[in-house]
Structure formats: C-alpha cells, structure tokens
C-alpha cells in the first residue's frame, strides 16, 4: 500500500498493532485493530516493515520498568517506508526508507528531562504496528541498500553504541575500548570501534560467542581464564588500562571495570544485565580519576552520523539471529528471553 | 634569607623539615635537619611561609592511603616566596610570592597515570619544610595582596573545587550546584559557584555551620529536616534537580545524590568522608543519564585561572579556622582530626 | 483578549500585521489585516506585546540581505503572552509570558543548514504582528517580573551574546573579553561577561557612549587615543591579549582584533558594521593560533539558560533607548537607522 | 656509538651540526663542530638518524619568518635513538627509538603564548645535528618497526594533520574532509581521515599528483575542471558542504573554502602556500556559521595518539620522495624549493 496523497478521513482503513491492553505481560500482548493514524501537517505515515526486539522491550514486558500508560504498543526499534506525508513535510517523501528515532525529541547535544522521558515502546506507543505516524523531525533515513530487517537493528542498539563511543566518548584512533558481553549493542560497539580506528576488546564468558566476536575483529578476554579479566585488560594495554569501558553488565563487577580503565578514562554505564544495583569503590574511582557516564539511547544526530558512516563504507553490519513473522511476535519475545540469540531477533511483515 | 644567586654547594646551610621517618603516623612525625636543596637550572628555591593542612594529609598520617616511600615530608598545600632561581628559570624571580602545584606535572587537560601518580605530601615530598626546590613549571603566583597563610589554603581545596566546577564541570550562570558539607573545599565551591553566576546549595547537618555557609551566600539544606534532602533539592530546583552535585561524602548517600541531580547532570565524586565504598542504583543513574566524574586535585591551568579570577575581583576568600606555629605542626593534625574546624588549619613560620 | 480555548474557525477575528507586500523597503511596509492564525495541536497563539528592532531587521528593510519571499512580516525579537494553546501543548499555558525563539528550530548544540535557514523576520514571518502562532518547542518563558518591552530585547541581542560568550565561548571567571562598540548586543555582552566573572573591555569611539559602558561595569578603550587600541588591549592584559574578542565591526580592523587576542584565544565574528568583507593576516592568525568563530543568533538552550541566570539574579538588564507605538513602527526603523540609539528601540502595542 | 652512561665532561667528543652562522640563508648554512651536549638530570641524548625537511624550514632559510637568534641549528622534524639518559630520566632508556616534539613544551590541550613560542628549528635549535639533548617530557617513541627515515616524517606534517583532524577537529566517521593540495601534511591528512572513517577529498591542480592521491584513498577534485571546485565539493556532499576543510593554501581562495564548508563546519587554517594575507567574506562566514581555526603543529598528546594508532594498525604510511645524505643537506633544501616533491625530503646520517 503506497499512498501518494494523504488518505481522506472517511476512507481511513484499519491496521493491526500489537498492544498491551490491560497489563504489561507477554500473555496480554495481542493484535488489535486500530484506525490508520491521521497525520498532522508535519507528520509522516510510515509502514513498518521490520521490528528489532530489544532487551528493554523484554524488561517492559516483564514489568521491570514499572508502570506505563495502557494500552501500549510495544517495541522501540523498527524500519519501514514512507507511505504518506503531511502537507508541510519537507524532510521526507513517499517511498523513502526510514526509521523512527527511539527517543523522538532528542535532536543533538545532551538530553534533558523532557526529552529523556519520551521513548518509543513505553511510555510512547512503539513500532510493533503496521503503520505509525511520526513527526518528520523524529525520522532518519536508513542506510542505502539495507533491507528493512537489517535497518531495524540500528535505532536502539547501534545508535546507543554510537552515542557512547563516538558522540559522548570521542573515541580516537588507537584507543582501547573494552566491551562487556556479546549482545547486539556490544557487537555494534565492536564494529564502531573499528570504524574509528580504535581496538575493541570483548570481555565475555562463552567461548563460542567470543570466537564469533573475534571473527568480527575484536580482541577477546574470557572471564573464565585463570588470570582475572581486569589484569588481562591491563596487560593487553601495557599496564595502562582501557580508554573507554562499555559496561553493559553492572552488578558486582564495577570495581573490576574501574580497575581496568586507565587513569582519566571513562566507563560507560550501558546496561545492567547482572543487576540494577552495584557497589562502587569510591577511593579507587577517585584515585584513577575515572568518569562513569550513563548512556541510554542516542540523539537523532548520532543516528544520522551513524547512517552516513555506513553509507560512506564503514564496516558496520547488522547481525540477525532470527526472523519471525509479525503474527508470531510473541515468539520473538520468548526467543530473546530464552534463546540466547547472537545478534538481533527481528519481526517482519513479509517474513516467510 | 633572600639568596640573590644560587648558594655554592659548600655553603649550603641546613633547614628544618617535618618528616615521617619510619612509619606513617603522627607520633612518628618529627623535625629533621636536612641540607638546603640544590636547585637544578629550571628549579626555584621557595621559602615556605605557610602550610594548609588537608584531610588527605590526615588520612596519610593515619595510614589510610596505604604504603608510601619513607622518609616522607608531609603536606600538599603551601605558599611562600622565591629566594633563589636556577640558571635557566624564566617564569619567576626572587621575591615572587608563589605556591607549589599539588600535582606538579599536571599542566592542563585531563590527567594520565604518570601525571596523577606524583602528588606533594606523598608519594612526593611535601611542603612542611622551611624550603623546597620546585621546577618552575610546577609553581603558580599567588593572588596579589594575599598573605602566605591565606594563599596556602588554595592549592588543594580551592583548586580542586575550581577543577570540579569550572574546568571539568563547565558550570554556567544560572546553574544550581549542590555541595555536601561545610569543609574548606565546600566553602571554596560556594564562592566559586557564585563567581560564575551559579547558585550554591549546601547540604549539611550542623545548624551553626549551615548558618555560616548561608552568610557566605549559599542556600542551605539541613539533612535533619523532616523532608528528605533529595526531595528538598528537587523542590528548590522546580522539580528538575541540580546541574552539578559536588559530593564529598560518599558512603551510602550516593543514591540520593543521583536522585537530586537533573537528567543529564553531573555528580562530582569529590571525597569519601562517609566511607570509601558506596552503593549505586544503576537503573536510576542510567534513566537519569547522570555522569559521575571523579575529581582529585586540579591542573596548573586551573590554579592559574583561579588566581586570575581572584586578581580580577572574584568574591573568593580564604577562610582560616586556626593558625599554629611551625614547631607545633602536630597540633594542627590533632585539631583537624578532632576540632571540627570551619575553614583551614594553617601552619606558619611566623605565627605568633 | 484571552482565549481560554482555541477559537473555532468560523469566529476567527482579524488581526493587524506589518507586512512587506511587494518589496523589501521601509516605504513598502504597511499594516495589513490578516485572519488570526489557526493553531495546530502543538502550537501556541501568542499576543505580541512588544517588539525590539534589530539591525538585521534594518538591513533586510534595505534589501541588504538579498531576496526573501514576499509578503513578509518583519522583526525577529519580541515578547508577549500566551492566549491560546493547541490540544497537545504541554510546555505552556494561557497567560504565560513568552518570547519566540529567533531561530525556531535550533534547540541545542551546533546549527546545521536546515536549522540555520529558518529565522524570524525573514525568510520566516516575524513578530511585528498582533498575534503569532508558534510551535511550543520554539518558545521560551521570559524572565520573571520583566515587562514585555524589556523581555523583547532578549531573543536576538542577548541570546547571541550568550551564545558567543557562554555556550560557544566557555568564558571563565578571570577571562578578559573585548567587545567592539556599544550596540545593544555589546551592552548585553558586558553584562554577561560580568555575570560569569570575566572582565569586559569595550572598544569604542564615542566618549559619551564609552562613559555609559563604563558605568555598566566595563573597562573602556577609546580608539581615538594616541596609543593604538590593540596595544592598549595587550597592555591591559599584561601583554597577553584577551581571551575572547567579540568583534561586531568587521571591515578592515580584523588584523588588530587578532593582534589583541591571546595565543590560543578566540575571535567571535559577530557582525559587520564596518563592512561585509575583511582582510585577514593568515600568518599572524596561525602564529597566534587564534580561532575565528562565526556567531549568528543562539539556541533555545542558550535562551533558556540566559533566562534562568536572570531569574537567579544575574546582573543582566534591558537597556531601552526609545519606545514607539505599534502604529508608528516605521518610525522605529528610522530611529534605529539615524538616531544612534544607546540600547534598544522598542515597538509596543500599549505604548503611550 | 651507544653511551651506557653519561660521558664525563672531559671526554665529550665533538659532533657535527648544520648551523646558520650569521644570517638566515641557505648559503650561510654550514657544518660546524660543537661539543656533544651535556645532559641535565631529566634530559636524554638522542642520536639523530634522519631529518625530514619542512616548508617551514625552507621559509626560515629564506628569511620569511623574520629575525631569529643566531647561530641557529635548522630543522624541526627528526628521529633517532636514545644513546644516553640523565640521572632522573624515567620515560626512556638507551636504544629507544624516538622523535623530539616539534613544540617541546606542548603537552596537551590548547597552546598558550609561552608554549607556542618555543619551536625546534627556530627560535630553538633544531635537529639537523648528529646529536641533540632533549628533556624526556619532549620526546615521543616512534612507531614500532618504522625506520628513522620514515619516523622523521611524523613530528611536523603528520602531527599537525592529526591535531587539525582529530584532536581539534573531532572528525567523526562519515565526515567529509576537504584537503587542499598534495603536500606531505595533506597526504597524512588523507590517511588520518581514512583512519577515523571519514572521507578525504583532495583539491589540487596537478593531474598526476591527484592520481597518486586517489591511489591513497582520496576522492579528488581538479581545480582545472570547468565546474568550480567549490561547486564540485558541494555536489559531492549532496549540497551540504564538507564538515572540515584543511586549507593549506590561503591567498585569495578562502571565500571558496568557506562556500564549500557546511553550515556549522570548520575551516582549519593550516598554511599559506598562496599568500600570507587573505580576503574573507564576513557575511558568508557568519551566515554559514563557519569556524576558522588556526593550526600550527600539535601537542605531545597528539603525537603519542598518532603513534599509538599506527602501532594498532592504522593505515598511515610515510611517503618519502627522496633521501639525501647528511653532508648534502643543502641539496635537500634546494629539492624542496624547486623539485615539487611528492612526499618528504629526508636527510639521513646513513644514506648511501
């Protein structure tokens, strides 16, 4: 369906969305018919062709993010095609391939509270729908030649990694960047580190996954080795420690993270896979003059810069673990929860 | 004693220094005669006229900083006068009033490990001596018209506050800056915040000391109030939270500190009066996109900027609690430990 | 007229606007009746109570900015009151005192082309009208207690000075800031420099106006003195040169501006009162490692920071030279062109 | 000759240096015997194995830099080996391969006047000598495995390009970087742009040299094309203009440079091959919000970052046009002046 002009109100067809109706729980998630959204003068109607499921979406589905307004359309990371544009839209045209920005009001620079509050998939309606209406300022073109499934992996995982490494981190060629785990954002961080000429070092615990990270160009450190991983990281960096540590784990490992980071370096607090609370050795942190910088998502500017880098040939690729059809979206949540995917779990409209 | 030229080796008189001889303990601290230091071509011989005792000096005296090379001259913050200059010195002349830089190799920009390691008072010999030889690049002129006792308060407490608020923090007019406690660095932070047009808010627990902070221009929040202090800080800032939080306390209050800081704001990890280990709510930190930046001392550039601001009329004043003569330096340690001074404890050569 | 709700379409009254109808010329400027603008869901209807005339408005009126789309409502800097809000507006409510942002799409960070193109008063319709409809994201609250006439002075002159000195310039306490002339932006720059603890030095040629700048707290340098003004500036700064030079003059003086700026310092290219073309000594610029940074307007973030600083007590005041009633707006253009105003020329709805 | 310890004074052998004796002119340049320098406690004695001749050296030889203290040893860019270390040297050991830092006092951050004044080859003695004594803080290790001839190309040309693109420019992946000419610094800029994932676009006038630049990975624009080169650059960047323009030409082309740079972008004033004076369109510069940032040399931190990037595998290579033996150093000046070298002219001690 490609609208060349905005459909008149009376002819608005229905569309399908997944929706949490009465509570945040995978079992409550159901397909609901809604009228196709009317677009305001500066809005764009986007047909969503693919959605990438994020751990945040899973946490919301489990109620771990607290209360959110209901009903709610889930999912924060998607891609599709412009099918209609509002009367004053100037940035996009019908048939452009686009992705909605995960934090729609974040243009550039640091966030403030107003900006940070609004996020797709909660509290704002997300992209697990056939169509979404998006302000033209909250959309980004996807990389030339990328499929919707591949492009859908970018808005949260890749943009967050770009924000942490490039926009906020200012990573330079020759820098050492440690990255915990082999999740999708971590794998993007490996590629982005290589793009800027830095050396990515992945710290993980699964030999098979580490081997795949190595194949992507990372140095790898196995936490099961007899030598403690922080000592390994210091040894790999000539005793100096890494310039930037992308810590997606949290929990009780933050002391080792700080001990692995060079004096004056930065730890990017990027996630909390191992626990939402951590213990911090203030004395060591101050003595090493380490900065802990929380990162959550990224700006439209970061997203646009990322796409431009890909278009210019940066070695950044989507890694897709599995693709499921729209109707089976709940299976994607289950696979993300239990399947230990390497790369992204994608929900597509046209999946076979 | 003013040397116009470098004394020849054979005539070098002795001078007195306080020295930890065999262990780090106040009881071990004794006056020792040492030969006057010979100065290299780029060094300056400084007669130390006043020393300001820092909590770091006290912590070292209690062994809390771990092992340090012995014998060791204590104290990190002092001021005096140039009495001789090496043959190639160009930045200073005899009779200039100067202070040694606490982290001598830190010129500008961020620290690295090599720079951060060297600090006066441990592991490097400090300033509790009649004379010290200092590389000309590790000296700063003191503010015009300031006594040595007043100038001695600057190198650690005021420079650290300047580094945290101005150099690293980029505090702007209209910003809200929360400051824990009423220690000397906190009081300098109040004055520096006012200098840049920001609003200082002191969080403390002693009504009398808070009253004195208020008289210095701070808004004050008493942690004994029935309303929790983080709620008070949010209320004072229209629900937004402070832009910068100078946390000198550590311990178990960091969660409240984060909760009092605006989305995208910064917590300066500035000390650990309440404990060297803290617990951190990663979820809240990431959701609020808060940066935790460790600060310890400041660069020569920060020190020079501070002095220039004072010379240009900034409302920054030394606050001296008590002055003791050189011979009684151990009494200064005791007073700092037990006397709850408001402002600095100063050791002077000429004290009455 | 205060609308509590959005007026229905059929009842929309007319309003008056000044408009260039067929060409950019003061003689072509006439009062035109237009229907009151309908507001979109995220728009706010603002009653304009005061307009501050800018030199840019005068240059446009003389055709010096080249072709612009006609008809065009002039003026870029105004203030007024919210009289109606769109259905989804959350940032403002009826009766809030507000100013439209001069570059409406500039939120924070650096500009890009799309953002920089849109400016009130040309090519976008300006504020010399009874009412304007503004997206809620392109409005800022005015300082508490300020009249509309005073608030109208801020959006261009004060925000540009703030952007140059604070947001881009990072001016610090103790810095020396040279400012050319005694125009309205220059006078705001004096106040802003003092707010951040810097020393403003005004370079001008009119003894009477320099005296008034001195009364506002500036050091002044008269270009008619026998000592060349660049030598004066170096002398005033101990031979070092100023940290930041706000050059609103252009023309053939840029070499002296560079020669007055410290090694590693910045010249803010802020205007071109003496000519749109200048000659630059590349050798001196490179040897002094001077940065020339063009500034034109400021971001919403800069405007909000400015207002917050004023609300917190910063010594920033509006300086109004003359106030003329709305009907006589053309007289304001004439006075700005010929009257050598000290401070702003204001057009008000309620002027006596 | 490897000294394991510092030679005693009485046994100091002589060494050869090239020296301007009575005036700055190639004809005055002669080999002079000087005693081997004595090294101070923090100094290192370096045997210079290769010198790279810079255009600055040529300009000095022609008197174009004005008066400098005589006698003077020329040349700013060299590499060699540590043969002796002062008693307190900790950063280097005998047989380390090193390069002196061109601006010896520049550690990190921006320059100030004191730092900027001191430069090798004038006013400070340069490296066209058999041995030089260097403070350990003004030395950098050369890339692992690089010959002295290759390493000698780095200290001025590559470090300046790194400073402009990376340290000051913050060039990001996907950025477009225009570079004028195909001089040695320009060729390093091509490689550094590629290292950070940016796209280098070389603007030149010699088809053969442009072809070689293309082979190094640059997009090339020939100024002899019928389409003006600024229009070409805008077309190559989708009408946007380049993010950073490294302008080594100066003269009368700066307007086109500004017109080729994106709104909010930066022009790096990098040289003045076409003239030390330029004309600047202030109106266009301000309308495009372009920053002109002068760059001259780079900090030790930039040099160290560059070497680390090379050691980590960055595609940065030395390009040597010709190598001449030490005795024939004057021939190197002549070749640089008249030979239109592609890459560097190197003077070596061991050249065949």
């Amino acid at each position: 369906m490609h609208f060349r002009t905005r459909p008149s109100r009376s002819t608005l067809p229905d569309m399908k969305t997944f929706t949490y109706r009465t509570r945040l729980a995978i079992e409550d998630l159901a397909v609901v018919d809604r009228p196709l959204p009317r677009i305001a003068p500066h809005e764009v109607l986007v047909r969503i062709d693919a959605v990438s499921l994020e751990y945040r979406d899973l946490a919301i589905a489990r109620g771990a993010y607290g209360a959110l307004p209901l009903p709610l359309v889930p999912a924060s990371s998607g891609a599709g095609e412009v099918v209609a544009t509002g009367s004053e839209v100037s940035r996009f045209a019908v048939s452009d391939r686009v992705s909605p920005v995960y934090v729609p009001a974040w243009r550039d620079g640091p966030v403030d509270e107003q900006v940070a509050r609004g996020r797709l998939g909660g509290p704002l309606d997300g992209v697990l729908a056939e169509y979404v209406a998006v302000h033209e300022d909250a959309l980004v073109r996807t990389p030339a030649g990328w499929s919707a499934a591949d492009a859908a992996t970018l808005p949260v995982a890749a943009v967050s990694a770009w924000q942490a490494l490039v926009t906020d981190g200012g990573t330079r060629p020759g820098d050492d960047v440690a990255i915990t785990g082999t999740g999708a954002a971590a794998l993007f961080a490996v590629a982005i580190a290589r793009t800027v000429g830095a050396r990515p070092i992945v710290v993980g615990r699964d030999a098979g996954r580490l081997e795949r990270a190595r194949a992507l160009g990372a140095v790898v450190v196995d936490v099961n080795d007899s030598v403690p991983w922080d000592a390994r990281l210091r040894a790999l960096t000539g005793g100096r420690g890494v310039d930037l540590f992308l810590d997606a784990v949290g929990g009780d490992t933050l002391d080792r993270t700080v001990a692995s980071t060079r004096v004056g370096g930065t730890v990017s607090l990027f996630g909390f896979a191992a626990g939402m609370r951590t213990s911090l050795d203030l004395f060591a942190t101050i003595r090493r003059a380490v900065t802990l910088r929380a990162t959550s998502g990224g700006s439209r500017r970061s997203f646009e810069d990322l796409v431009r880098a890909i278009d210019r040939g940066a070695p950044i690729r989507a890694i897709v673990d599995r693709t499921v059809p729209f109707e089976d979206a709940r299976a994607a949540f289950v696979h993300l929860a239990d399947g230990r995917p390497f790369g992204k779990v994608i929900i597509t409209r046209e999946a076979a």
Side-chain angles (χ1 to χ4, degrees), chain A residues 105-146:
Chain A
W106 192 359
R107 296 286 176 279
D108 197 1
V111 279
D112 60 24
E113 182 150 20
Q114 189 203 359
V115 165
R117 254 195 318 240
R119 291 167 190 264
L120 300 185
L124 306 177
D125 272 341
V127 292
L128 197 53
E130 288 188 308
Y131 296 91
V132 297
V134 184
H135 193 283
E136 63 170 330
D137 286 342
L139 272 184
V140 167
R141 265 187 196 75
T142 52
W146 279 42

Side-chain angles (χ1 to χ4, degrees), chain A residues 326-352:
Chain A
F326 184 74
E327 306 78 55
D328 301 343
R330 286 167 58 167
F333 283 80
V334 173
H335 182 59
L336 183 62
D338 303 331
R340 306 208 60 241
F342 187 88
K344 280 296 180 196
V345 182
I346 303 293
I347 302 161
T348 63
R349 289 274 301 283
E350 292 96 12

Side-chain angles (χ1 to χ4, degrees), chain A residues 106-111 158-172 192-193 196 244 246 266 268 270 293-307 309:
Chain A
W106 192 359
R107 296 286 176 279
D108 197 1
V111 279
V159 172
S160 298
W162 185 276
Q163 182 79 25
L165 262 75
V166 180
T167 310
D168 291 342
T171 302
R172 299 177 179 190
I192 293 167
V196 299
L244 180 67
L246 215 66
T266 297
S268 184
F270 200 76
R293 184 193 293 119
T295 299
S296 172
S299 66
R300 188 185 91 191
R301 167 77 192 272
S302 291
F303 198 168
E304 291 170 335
D305 285 353
L306 164 69
V307 170

